[in-house]
Amino acid sequence: MNNDTLYFQKEISWLAFNERVLQEAADKSNPLIERVRFLGIYSNNLDEFYQVQFANLKRDVLIEQEQGRSSNAKSILRQVEQKVTQTELKFDKLYNELLLEMARNQIFLINERQLTSQQEVWIKKYYKQNLRQYITPILLDSYTDLIQILKDDHSYLAVEIINNNEIKYALLDLPTEKVPRFVLLPSDTTTKNKSIIFLDNILRFCLPDIFKIFFDVTEFNAYSIKINRDAEYELSSELDSLLELMSQGLKQRLTAQPVRFIYQKDMPKALIELLLTKLKLSENDATPGGRYPNLKDLMGIPCIGHKNLLNKVLPDLTYNRFKQFRNAFDTIKDRDILLYYPYYSFSHVLEIMRQASFDPSVTHIRINIYRVAKDSRFVQAAINAANNGKKVTVVVELQARFDEEINIRWAKKLIGSGVKVIYSLPKLKIHAKLFLIERRENDQIVRYAHIGSGNFNEKTAKIYTDFSLLTADPMITDEVKKVFNFIENPFKPVTFNYLLVSPQNTRIRLMELIQREIDNANNDKPAGIYLKLNAITDKDMINKLYQASSAGVKIRMIVRGMCILKPQVPNLSENIIVTSIVDRFLEHARVYIFENSGQKDTYISSADWMPRNIDNRVEAGVKILDPSLQKIIQDIFMIQANDNVKARIIDKDLQNNYIQRGNKKKVRAQIAIYDYLNRLENNP
């Protein structure tokens, strides 16, 4: 079989995932504002796709051309462009449908031509008081270097300043980092209608106030534009420190060649040509779009209507065992704890770190941070611990894409507080979700560890599903300490029995576990593999799963995003079923379960099955030893495997068809899991 038969193209698989996001915007069972926000998620995802996946493809095209090889990447690029065009048409149709639905609910997104006289007066005042200080036009002349000036993923207005037969051009940067993209306008007291206006349209209305102080003008026209840049950067090893390396890398990204230029489709040709020339792009790099090319801000559109326009709030669950003990450490020492966000509150982990920061018995705290909240209470607890004289070591991942700048700031603040800060080696990201707390108890050091699938981030813990294991089991905690030692001394040999640690033993151990299932199937013993992943693109791992399927091993997979494995192909993967769940929470947990002749082995991990996660990052997974926690993870997996409301079948044609429920009871996994965990807490 050739590669086209064996695997999906990963970029096409990624776009199929984003199409599932778009399906949620189309799903009329979702509340209206949630549907609009899914449009924003789709738009944000597509921007990241162009910054990373599409940019990589374009580089591959250039390499193939340079080497004189036939361009496979160019063919994939054409497929991608065709797929994006198809989904963008669906997006535009949905956007217009949802605007009408909002209007039926007395919420109106209006433009500058639809303002009442009262609203016009209000907007003039709003501009002077809230916007003017952030507005500095960029005049387009022969000296203007747009490649240096334009910011990645920002919205701009390209303005024609017309005075009779003379035309000048300028750009306005929409200051969405300073002011909201959506502004609620004062309502007419005689109606219940509510009006929202885009920031873009406020600036369109206020063009005379912006330019007439210097220009004689007979007419203004404004058109939206946006660019996406290549998010990759090269790290030279010649600089003094990783902080300097990352600062250099960020500067490269800020000035990287644009990979996509979107312009309002009714923009005059002369202005398009001017912008393309200044950006050193061809017409093939330009995409016509609508009046609002940057719609990721729809993720934050305010709900100003009835509360039924939003999802019903699911109150955070409390892990009741924490109430039964004097402090968090006594709770963990009594028995391992398993938290599953966002169902359980992330405040439990924050409270552990708060207690550790002033607990007289705590001597040393070690933490990995990858993506943390802007005002992270978690990192602040580490700083407080250092202020209390404790030894604190924080591994800061400066190469966390799109979070580099905030992590650089945290690194400097931690160093300034006396914390020992460690960085990864260039191109070896540390993606593990670990902390290790050492306490002196009865003249002995007792360790408490966290191993999880998600970041220590208060914000994402409310919307991402992730597992956290908290344990004082020395078999686990000793190996967590080995991971931190490995991070500090990556060339020193180390072995693990209970942890799956990339790049040390993950690939070898997973291959052994799959082979064991193959051997069991060949010997007529119970055999099965159950995987929950964000992505699977590693061809060696996929080939091993194909081998298992051919041996009769039943394989059940739940994959949210990229999946290049082709399921249900005769004589290859007919024993593999893959579904994908896209719902109100982002499915982020990674779970591996192996049947093991009926004695299931259960793991949680930070690692997807991608070459980068298995071979080129530091990742950590853990075998769950407590039988009661094993059962919880297995039960949750089966609830998700039986979802017939939000699950799509990943078939050999990537059709994204919803699972057909038939006469079966409706199972919406995310709600069913909440009910399941709620019952556990109320009926321990």
Side-chain angles (χ1 to χ4, degrees):
M1 292 185 178
N2 59 35
N3 276 1
D4 289 342
T5 305
L6 291 173
Y7 317 108
F8 294 120
Q9 188 58 47
K10 66 184 178 68
E11 292 84 3
I12 301 301
S13 175
W14 192 100
L15 291 172
F17 151 67
N18 210 27
E19 194 169 19
R20 296 193 283 277
V21 173
L22 204 55
Q23 285 178 323
E24 287 301 296
D27 187 345
K28 293 182 180 180
S29 70
N30 290 328
L32 176 59
I33 296 300
E34 304 292 354
R35 294 175 65 192
V36 175
R37 289 175 179 174
F38 270 113
L39 289 181
I41 295 169
Y42 165 89
S43 185
N44 184 67
N45 288 348
L46 192 60
D47 284 342
E48 289 195 14
F49 174 81
Y50 273 91
Q51 291 165 320
V52 181
Q53 306 287 345
F54 191 83
N56 287 340
L57 264 179
K58 291 196 79 170
R59 280 199 300 274
D60 289 344
V61 169
L62 292 174
I63 291 169
E64 288 174 350
Q65 288 175 346
E66 188 73 22
Q67 295 176 346
R69 293 188 284 125
S70 59
S71 186
N72 182 52
K74 198 168 186 177
S75 172
I76 298 167
L77 203 61
R78 285 195 294 269
Q79 294 177 50
V80 164
E81 290 168 342
Q82 183 180 11
K83 184 68 174 176
V84 170
T85 299
Q86 291 171 354
T87 51
E88 287 287 84
L89 289 173
K90 293 178 184 178
F91 179 97
D92 292 341
K93 183 173 182 288
L94 269 172
Y95 177 73
N96 290 323
E97 287 177 3
L98 291 176
L99 286 184
L100 288 174
E101 189 63 29
M102 289 174 68
R104 293 187 191 103
N105 284 272
Q106 298 177 299
I107 303 171
F108 296 86
L109 266 175
I110 66 172
N111 63 43
E112 73 280 8
R113 301 186 190 95
Q114 299 169 310
L115 297 169
T116 65
S117 56
Q118 176 193 7
Q119 290 169 337
E120 288 181 351
V121 172
W122 187 90
I123 280 183
K124 293 278 188 181
K125 185 177 179 181
Y126 181 86
Y127 169 74
K128 290 178 181 176
Q129 293 181 349
N130 299 281
L131 286 179
R132 186 169 60 184
Q133 64 266 40
Y134 304 121
I135 303 301
T136 303
I138 302 165
L139 302 178
L140 297 182
D141 54 31
S142 58
Y143 302 103
T144 311
D145 186 348
L146 283 192
I147 292 179
Q148 290 286 333
I149 292 171
L150 292 195
K151 290 179 264 188
D152 182 29
D153 206 23
H154 269 236
S155 293
Y156 293 85
L157 290 180
V159 182
E160 283 186 318
I161 307 167
I162 304 172
N163 183 28
N164 296 318
N165 294 323
E166 183 185 9
I167 303 179
K168 297 182 184 296
Y169 299 107
L171 293 183
L172 297 178
D173 182 1
L174 271 61
T176 51
E177 296 167 336
K178 306 291 185 182
V179 291
R181 181 81 184 278
F182 303 102
V183 178
L184 178 63
L185 293 171
S187 300
D188 189 330
T189 55
T190 63
T191 178
K192 292 183 179 180
N193 292 347
K194 296 179 175 65
S195 297
I196 301 173
I197 189 168
F198 275 93
L199 177 62
D200 322 30
N201 292 332
I202 292 179
L203 291 182
R204 283 184 166 103
F205 182 75
C206 294
L207 288 175
D209 301 80
I210 298 170
F211 289 102
K212 282 194 173 180
I213 58 174
F214 292 118
F215 296 93
D216 295 322
V217 184
T218 56
E219 183 184 351
F220 288 107
N221 294 303
Y223 308 92
S224 295
I225 65 167
K226 182 181 80 168
I227 64 167
N228 290 131
R229 294 185 186 272
D230 188 341
E232 196 57 68
Y233 46 81
E234 292 296 325
L235 296 181
S236 165
S237 60
E238 296 176 0
L239 297 182
D240 292 336
S241 72
L242 192 59
L243 277 174
E244 291 175 340
L245 288 173
M246 293 311 304
S247 296
Q248 181 199 51
L250 287 172
K251 289 175 184 176
Q252 287 181 27
R253 177 184 294 165
L254 290 173
T255 58
Q257 182 68 22
V259 293
R260 182 171 68 149
F261 169 61
I262 304 175
Y263 62 91
Q264 191 171 319
K265 58 189 173 186
D266 57 347
M267 180 184 288
K269 188 174 182 180
L271 181 51
I272 296 171
E273 291 175 349
L274 173 64
L275 293 170
L276 288 175
T277 299
K278 287 193 168 293
L279 291 169
K280 298 180 180 177
L281 297 173
S282 70
E283 288 187 16
N284 293 332
D285 300 311
T287 304
R291 207 168 197 251
Y292 313 106
N294 195 348
L295 285 172
K296 67 176 184 178
D297 292 323
L298 288 172
M299 290 191 294
I301 191 168
C303 181
I304 55 176
H306 195 275
K307 62 182 180 181
N308 66 5
L309 300 182
L310 291 174
N311 284 322
K312 183 180 178 182
V313 174
L314 298 176
D316 289 345
L317 298 176
T318 300
Y319 201 88
N320 288 322
R321 283 189 51 242
F322 280 112
K323 300 176 182 177
Q324 300 171 14
F325 296 86
R326 183 179 184 185
N327 57 54
F329 301 105
D330 289 348
T331 311
I332 299 168
K333 195 172 184 180
D334 175 69
R335 196 168 77 237
D336 287 357
I337 288 171
L338 182 75
L339 300 175
Y340 192 39
Y341 315 115
Y343 309 100
Y344 285 111
S345 172
F346 188 70
S347 64
H348 293 309
V349 169
L350 293 173
E351 177 60 15
I352 292 168
M353 292 304 300
R354 190 190 73 85
Q355 291 182 21
S357 72
F358 68 95
D359 179 355
S361 299
V362 169
T363 59
H364 194 172
I365 299 172
R366 298 175 176 88
I367 306 169
N368 289 130
I369 64 171
Y370 190 78
R371 300 190 196 279
V372 294
K374 184 177 180 181
D375 300 311
S376 174
R377 288 167 54 197
F378 192 86
V379 180
Q380 189 58 52
I383 292 171
N384 293 342
N387 292 340
N388 280 325
K390 303 183 187 307
K391 187 176 181 181
V392 181
T393 304
V394 178
V395 182
V396 180
E397 183 46 77
L398 297 182
Q399 300 170 75
R401 184 180 282 132
F402 306 122
D403 281 73
E404 299 97 338
E405 191 170 355
I406 191 170
N407 285 1
I408 287 172
R409 288 202 300 270
W410 277 122
K412 291 178 178 178
K413 188 170 183 179
L414 286 161
I415 291 169
S417 300
V419 173
K420 180 180 179 180
V421 173
I422 298 171
Y423 311 119
S424 63
L425 295 172
K427 299 189 179 182
L428 181 66
K429 291 184 182 180
I430 299 170
H431 192 246
K433 320 300 183 185
L434 303 174
F435 68 65
L436 186 68
I437 299 169
E438 294 184 353
R439 297 179 87 232
R440 185 169 293 282
E441 301 175 8
N442 299 322
D443 294 326
Q444 290 186 327
I445 294 297
V446 178
R447 299 186 179 94
Y448 298 82
H450 171 286
I451 308 101
S453 64
N455 296 305
F456 300 123
N457 187 316
E458 301 95 303
K459 182 179 178 181
T460 58
K462 292 181 181 296
I463 53 177
Y464 288 18
T465 70
D466 274 305
F467 283 109
S468 284
L469 177 72
L470 298 159
T471 183
D473 188 323
M475 292 186 294
I476 302 295
T477 59
D478 287 354
E479 292 199 357
V480 171
K481 186 179 180 183
K482 285 184 180 181
V483 178
F484 281 100
N485 291 340
F486 168 70
I487 289 169
E488 287 200 65
N489 302 285
F491 304 108
K492 187 176 180 180
V494 62
T495 58
F496 300 96
N497 295 314
Y498 299 97
L499 297 189
L500 301 177
V501 180
S502 300
Q504 291 298 102
N505 71 337
T506 300
R507 183 178 295 280
I508 294 171
R509 187 68 184 125
L510 289 175
M511 287 288 189
E512 291 172 347
L513 290 166
I514 298 171
Q515 183 61 48
R516 186 180 64 186
E517 299 305 314
I518 294 171
D519 294 341
N520 286 340
N522 288 334
N523 291 302
D524 297 324
K525 295 180 180 179
I529 299 171
Y530 314 87
L531 302 173
K532 184 171 187 298
L533 302 164
N534 294 324
I536 175 166
T537 64
D538 189 289
K539 292 181 180 178
D540 288 341
M541 299 305 302
I542 291 170
N543 291 342
K544 195 67 177 177
L545 291 175
Y546 287 158
Q547 184 185 346
S549 173
S550 298
V553 179
K554 300 295 184 184
I555 302 171
R556 185 65 174 88
M557 299 172 62
I558 303 167
V559 183
R560 186 194 83 234
M562 280 190 296
C563 175
I564 71 167
L565 177 150
K566 284 194 173 184
Q568 300 290 286
V569 176
N571 302 316
L572 178 72
S573 57
E574 54 199 342
N575 286 311
I576 303 177
I577 296 174
V578 185
T579 55
S580 179
I581 297 171
V582 178
D583 199 352
R584 62 188 291 179
F585 304 132
L586 184 142
E587 293 291 339
H588 193 252
R590 293 88 165 183
V591 173
Y592 323 145
I593 304 170
F594 300 90
E595 187 64 43
N596 189 27
S597 298
Q599 303 296 315
K600 290 185 175 73
D601 281 345
T602 302
Y603 295 80
I604 62 171
S605 178
S606 63
D608 288 308
W609 286 20
M610 304 173 71
R612 70 181 191 189
N613 301 89
I614 296 176
D615 299 325
N616 300 313
R617 288 186 176 186
V618 177
E619 305 269 10
V622 61
K623 184 176 181 178
I624 305 299
L625 302 180
D626 186 313
S628 64
L629 302 190
Q630 293 173 13
K631 184 178 185 305
I632 291 171
I633 294 171
Q634 292 161 16
D635 287 349
I636 287 172
F637 183 93
M638 292 313 299
I639 292 171
Q640 292 168 329
N642 289 313
D643 188 303
N644 53 27
V645 176
K646 293 295 186 181
R648 287 76 153 172
I649 187 76
I650 306 300
D651 61 19
K652 58 185 178 62
D653 300 312
L654 281 180
Q655 292 298 303
N656 279 338
N657 292 319
Y658 283 88
I659 296 291
Q660 295 301 304
R661 182 162 63 92
N663 295 322
K664 293 180 181 177
K665 180 182 176 182
K666 183 185 290 187
V667 178
R668 184 176 177 182
Q670 292 187 352
I671 304 303
I673 289 167
Y674 180 87
D675 294 338
Y676 168 83
L677 294 172
N678 196 22
R679 287 194 300 272
L680 282 183
E681 291 304 326
N682 290 308
N683 301 286

